[in-house]
Amino acid sequence: MKAPRLIMAAPRSGSGKTVLTISLMTALLKMGLKVSAFKCGPDYIDPMYHKKILGIDSRNLDLFFTDEETTRGLFLRNNTSGISVIEGVMGLYDGLGGISENASTYHLAKTLKAPVILVLDTKGMGTSVVAEAAGFISMDEEKLIRGIILNNMNSGIFPGIKELIENKLKVPVLGHFPKQKECDISSRYLGLSLPDEISNLKEKTNKAAEEFSKTVDINKLIEIANNAEEINSSFYFPEKQKTSTRIAVARDEAFNFYYRDNLDLLENLGAELVFFSPVHDKKLPKNIGGLLLGGGYPEFCARELSENKSMINSIKAAIGNGLPFWAECGGFIYLHEELETKDGNFKLCGIIKGRCIQTEKLIRFGYITLTEIKTKGHEFHYFDSDSNGDFCTAEKPMSQKQWKCCHNINGGLQGYPHLYYSSNIEYARKIVDTCRNYKEI
């Protein structure tokens, strides 16, 4: 399959990949191209920016979660776009444990045979940027770096730096991107601010895209994407089955961390997903066979969640009647008796007998495999619980470190880990089967 594509990568996080990626996507859309978006790694927030710009879902590609053949298959599945733009994660070569290339952006580029556009943040630099570019190019054994964009570069110095890089390194410099004050994206402890929290995001992105179109050779980027080698995969994503159960899925400003491929997989296996808001709705949807509470920022809506007693009582009654339910990270926090934040203490669902407390550092951060269910995922949270559960064992991939986690109530799983269902499709099938067996639609 041809699938024109390119990867936007950088030497490190904070280099401006996201702003350049959404600016490129916007510019391509304005040119009339059909664009698809992907994110390397387990990130939830960057795909939200992609969706906000494109109006379609962005999907994750992660070589810890899935092997190379599966990853190629997930990329190619239903991919009929004129160009696929893939945003990298961290630094180009940063993989598992920070000491391996495995699961890095470069590993993904090799797996997809995708050309890489290297974004270099030149703030506070001049000729030294040539040395940085040289180092990254020297490690590119597959010769996948096909172009360079110089971010935060003054237009006056750009022609001279471009000439130096191209003469010394023989890699084309496709343009530069002056600092975009209006399109700066703020960060907090779980990453970038959510796109819905930024006023006039589309207007700001349109302005950034206009600048991008002036200072970067987009036609050359399209040419590079079109010249990507053909790839294929034998991976089989389950075909759409007849709907056989309804699963309520929490989705609002408190709960919004979901992998699109996870939701697709549940739907293809026979689930009708019914979205609802624990913040705003008064009760669960009717005629459901299961409940899914994803991650997010319940701490920012703690007062509203606590005061919505009608929803809490609806959830407690349903679970008391045996409703199967799954909860990850933020959803797991919501199930506790109490949540302690910097703004106070809040009474919540009380399904998990314990309390969650905000800490000053990341707790159990990174990729994991849950050995009992043979499913991969990751943890990334600043809150901890005094009732994490002991149903599963979480194992880190690059060390012998492991710990107990997760509850198993009503046949579901409740804990901090975020799971990626395509790492074990049979576990996703078990979720749908459990919900189907609880209540037929």
Side-chain angles (χ1 to χ4, degrees), residues 273-292:
L273 304 183
V274 186
F275 296 99
F276 76 102
S277 169
V279 174
H280 303 290
D281 295 337
K282 295 304 180 185
K283 58 184 179 180
L284 288 172
K286 295 180 180 180
N287 301 319
I288 57 173
L291 170 63
L292 182 58

Side-chain angles (χ1 to χ4, degrees), residues 419-431:
L419 302 182
Y420 190 75
Y421 297 159
S422 289
S423 67
N424 181 1
I425 290 176
E426 290 309 308
Y427 183 72
R429 197 184 308 277
K430 179 182 177 182
I431 291 175

Side-chain angles (χ1 to χ4, degrees), residues 206-219:
N206 282 333
K207 290 181 179 178
E210 289 176 11
E211 186 66 33
F212 190 91
S213 298
K214 294 175 185 176
T215 60
V216 177
D217 188 345
I218 296 181
N219 287 325

